[in-house]
Structure formats: C-alpha cells, structure tokens
Amino acid sequence: MYGEPPVLPGDSFRILHVSTGNVCRSPITERLTRHALADRLGDPLAGGLVVESAGTWGHEGAPMEANAETVLADFGADPSGFVGRELLDDHVIRADLVLTATRDHRAQVISMGHSAGLRTFTLKEFTRLVRAIDPATLPDPLDGGVVERARALVRAAAALRGWLLAPSVEADEVYDPYGAPLPFFRSVGSEINEALDPVVAALTGVVK
C-alpha cells in the first residue's frame, strides 16, 4: 500500500496532495488520508482510491522529516516507505483531485495547465466546500462505487467555489512547519487531520 502509488486497472480516483518540499505537509496529508480511508473502507485501493503527494520544489528521493513521522505515529498512521517527489506534469494529468497546502501551491498547479483548475483546491478550501454539500445529493457508494461518488463530490465542490468564499486570506492556508519544533508540527498535523475528516467522510459516505 505504501511507496509509489500503483497504476490501477479499470476505474480509479487519484488524490494528489501538494506542498513545497514534499517532506512535511504533503506527506502528513497523504498518509493521514490513506489512514482515514483504510479505517473506513478496509483497503482504499480495492475501492479504486489512490492517494499520493508531490512538492512544487520537491526533494526528489528524500525521506519525510522526522517530526512529520512522529506526527503520523501520533495518529496511528504509517510513515514507512515514503519517498519525496518533485511535482511533474504527469502527476497533475493523472490526478482527479489535487489538494494543496496553500493558495500559492494551488496557483502553481493550475498554471501547469492540463485543465487542472476545476479539480484543484487548497485542502481547507475543499473542506469548506464539502461541508456545504448535502451528502444525499451524492451517489450512494454502495450502488455506484466510491469512485463515482468522489467524482461527483469534486464537481459539486467546483460548482460552489464562487459562492462560498473564505472568511479570511489565512483561512485556506496550512503553514509550513519545516525546521520548526515538534509542537508546531503537531499543531499542523491536528489542523490537517481536522480538515481531512469531513472530506474523507464525504468521499466514502462513512462518518466516524
């Protein structure tokens, strides 16, 4: 389940988390997402969900920061086997949903083209939009599958984007803990985990 995300045969839905170095925020977000999906679905890959990450200035081949590993362990998530990646065109092309740490990252992903605008959000922006979507309007994952539901969720969020604005500039940002002490990493980890919970619930239809 860990390491380089596989190319799945058939129908799949790829979630790409993006930060700067791909050693702090996006690894934490990637592994917390996988952990939450596994908690709800058993095996996310069986449901067609693939979660990966990359950095706009990614430290290619680097391990995640030790403090990031500690944060993941706090939540019971597995940090093993992680390898940093630089964000490439192919990552954006393959992604069905791109969730970034900041608005600058979102702008960089969109500037790469590949019709990324409608499927690229900051994590906190997507959380805010998801909270406004009635789950009853989404496909039942037991009928159409999680992939169909996930695609419908992205379309619904994109349609709401111009109507549900952030209360402040800072509201959509997850700040970089690189080089910071462990307490700040833990604060960022809690922030990410809180933002992910409604997203994973909406994706899977399983509320914890």
Side-chain angles (χ1 to χ4, degrees), residues 13-190:
F13 184 91
R14 304 186 80 92
I15 303 169
L16 174 66
H17 293 295
V18 175
S19 63
T20 303
N22 194 215
V23 291
C24 298
R25 288 168 291 181
S26 50
I28 290 172
T29 316
E30 172 197 313
R31 293 305 173 89
L32 286 179
T33 304
R34 292 189 188 186
H35 179 67
L37 288 171
D39 187 41
R40 288 164 169 82
L41 299 176
D43 181 4
L45 291 178
L49 299 182
V50 180
V51 185
E52 54 192 331
S53 64
T56 55
W57 291 90
H59 300 291
E60 188 73 28
M64 74 174 78
E65 286 286 293
N67 282 345
E69 292 189 347
T70 300
V71 167
L72 290 172
D74 288 346
F75 286 100
D78 187 353
S80 65
F82 181 84
V83 178
R85 304 190 306 172
E86 183 176 355
L87 181 66
L88 302 176
D89 286 309
D90 186 55
H91 301 147
V92 177
I93 290 167
R94 293 165 66 190
D96 297 285
L97 172 63
V98 184
L99 297 176
T100 69
T102 69
R103 290 170 299 122
D104 282 347
H105 296 132
R106 182 184 65 193
Q108 289 180 65
V109 171
I110 292 172
S111 74
M112 295 172 73
H114 315 301
S115 303
L118 290 176
R119 50 195 168 89
T120 303
F121 310 79
T122 73
L123 170 62
K124 287 187 173 181
E125 174 192 22
F126 195 66
T127 301
R128 184 175 67 254
L129 298 171
V130 163
R131 287 184 187 277
I133 297 167
D134 181 357
T137 64
L138 300 173
D140 186 334
L142 296 178
D143 292 334
V146 176
V147 167
E148 182 183 340
R149 182 183 178 92
R151 289 178 179 156
L153 183 67
V154 173
R155 290 193 298 269
L160 279 176
R161 182 162 16 207
W163 297 93
L164 198 63
L165 302 179
S168 68
V169 172
E170 293 78 19
D172 284 344
E173 305 284 289
V174 175
Y175 291 106
D176 193 355
Y178 185 75
L182 181 57
F184 188 72
F185 265 84
R186 283 186 162 136
S187 174
V188 168
S190 295

